[in-house]
Amino acid sequence: MPTKPNLRLVPPKGEKWKVPGRKSNRALRTKEYLTPNEVEKLIEASKCNRHGHRDATIILTAYRHGLRVSELIDLRWDQIDWPKANLHVRRLKGGVDSVHPIMGDELRALRKLHREQEAKSPFVFVSERGGPLTRFAVAKMIEKAGKDAGLGDSVHFHQLRHACGYALADAGHDTRRLQSWLGHSDIKHTAKYAELSAKPFKDFWR
């Protein structure tokens, strides 16, 4: 019986393995956040979907509260305090929970969604079968809305969380308060939004 030839060990070259043909996020997108105007376009485009009200409410809620997709699809009706118009935001990935006020337009959208939800579910955002939406379904919806809104084909859900941080930092909110709003356990993750704000440079040409 022939023996197998000895295998020669090749020392690693120290290069990181990359997925063939996969461009970096920086190469695909000029920025990793959406502006408030772009979020509005995304919301308006999503209203033309088959489940337009649900999809528009998903985008508005995710943007206002800086939700991760996992936090959004796990969102339940009992997290909403209707009389006080508050939302208990349950953070994942080691984040810090908090209670956020719900603005009037968002509250009205959520009330309508609750009334019209045919298959009553503990989850806020559900599929046609009444089960919670999947990450894939939400990602595809956001991608389609981005194309329909004329924002290109590389819009993704996490840009809404970044859009929240950018908008609040640009409005001049304190970094510590912004950290609490986004549920960051480490403030260094929040500081990047302050760096994106144009406010520190507003008087440069005056």
Side-chain angles (χ1 to χ4, degrees), residues 33 165-174 193-206:
Y33 63 90
Y166 166 79
L168 294 178
D170 200 51
H173 291 289
D174 176 77
Y193 297 113
E195 294 169 0
L196 292 171
S197 174
K199 280 195 176 294
F201 309 116
K202 66 179 181 180
D203 296 324
F204 268 36
W205 290 93
R206 292 182 184 179

Side-chain angles (χ1 to χ4, degrees), residues 78-168:
D78 63 10
Q79 290 175 242
I80 300 175
D81 183 342
W82 297 107
K84 292 185 177 180
N86 287 337
L87 175 68
H88 177 84
V89 182
R90 195 158 61 99
R91 296 295 184 187
L92 302 178
K93 294 185 67 175
V96 181
D97 295 355
S98 57
V99 177
H100 292 180
I102 305 175
M103 302 299 290
D105 56 344
E106 182 190 352
L107 188 65
R108 289 189 292 273
L110 288 167
R111 284 190 184 280
K112 180 181 178 182
L113 191 66
H114 190 247
R115 285 195 308 269
E116 297 178 352
Q117 194 178 80
E118 294 179 4
K120 294 303 178 183
S121 167
F123 295 97
V124 176
F125 302 112
V126 298
S127 66
E128 289 183 346
R129 296 185 177 183
L133 288 174
T134 64
R135 299 169 64 99
F136 178 77
V138 174
K140 293 301 291 182
M141 183 274 288
I142 295 292
E143 183 181 353
K144 178 181 182 301
K147 292 177 182 178
D148 293 345
L151 301 177
D153 56 4
S154 61
V155 175
H156 63 88
F157 184 89
H158 205 68
Q159 283 180 301
L160 293 172
R161 178 167 165 82
H162 292 323
C164 174
Y166 166 79
L168 294 178

